Amino acid sequence: MLSLHSYLILSAILFSIGAIGVLIRRNAIVIFMCVELMLNSVNLTFIAFSKYLGNMDGQIFVFFVMTVAAAEAAVGLALMIAFYKNRESIDVEDLNLMKW
């Protein structure tokens, strides 16, 4: 059985990969995937602490985070499809062109 530290280290690594991806990538879809990776690393932390402390609060909070993440992904992908239809690109540098 893995210890709490192992889960926390894995979560920190996943969060770091997601944060680096958000900062250096220009494709909006990849940025959304990196944000999802960061949310899932936080979920892993909640689950690890929930198991370590022996209560269900972390697992319930993860359920809500996953619900919000699904809604965020649906809205974000819909916006990207609409943006792609207008500009034929999903590069985040082109998003500045959406200003009035």
Side-chain angles (χ1 to χ4, degrees), residues 25-50:
R25 298 302 298 242
R26 296 186 187 270
N27 189 329
I29 301 291
V30 175
I31 290 174
F32 275 125
M33 290 181 356
C34 290
V35 169
E36 293 294 326
L37 183 64
M38 290 171 28
L39 286 173
N40 284 328
S41 69
V42 172
N43 287 342
L44 178 63
T45 302
F46 278 128
I47 294 293
F49 274 116
S50 176

Side-chain angles (χ1 to χ4, degrees), residues 21-93:
V22 167
L23 293 175
I24 66 171
R25 298 302 298 242
R26 296 186 187 270
N27 189 329
I29 301 291
V30 175
I31 290 174
F32 275 125
M33 290 181 356
C34 290
V35 169
E36 293 294 326
L37 183 64
M38 290 171 28
L39 286 173
N40 284 328
S41 69
V42 172
N43 287 342
L44 178 63
T45 302
F46 278 128
I47 294 293
F49 274 116
S50 176
K51 181 159 177 68
Y52 179 72
L53 297 174
N55 63 9
M56 297 287 292
D57 294 342
Q59 295 177 16
I60 293 170
F61 198 73
V62 166
F63 178 74
F64 288 116
V65 169
M66 290 176 69
T67 304
V68 171
E72 173 259 336
V75 171
L77 289 175
L79 287 172
M80 287 301 112
I81 289 171
F83 184 72
Y84 183 76
K85 283 184 178 179
N86 288 334
R87 304 285 179 185
E88 297 194 6
S89 172
I90 52 173
D91 191 13
V92 291
E93 297 291 328

Side-chain angles (χ1 to χ4, degrees), residues 4-18 37-46 48-49:
L4 176 65
H5 296 296
S6 300
Y7 290 113
L8 293 179
I9 290 170
L10 176 64
S11 177
I13 291 170
L14 291 175
F15 190 87
S16 299
I17 291 171
L37 183 64
M38 290 171 28
L39 286 173
N40 284 328
S41 69
V42 172
N43 287 342
L44 178 63
T45 302
F46 278 128
F49 274 116

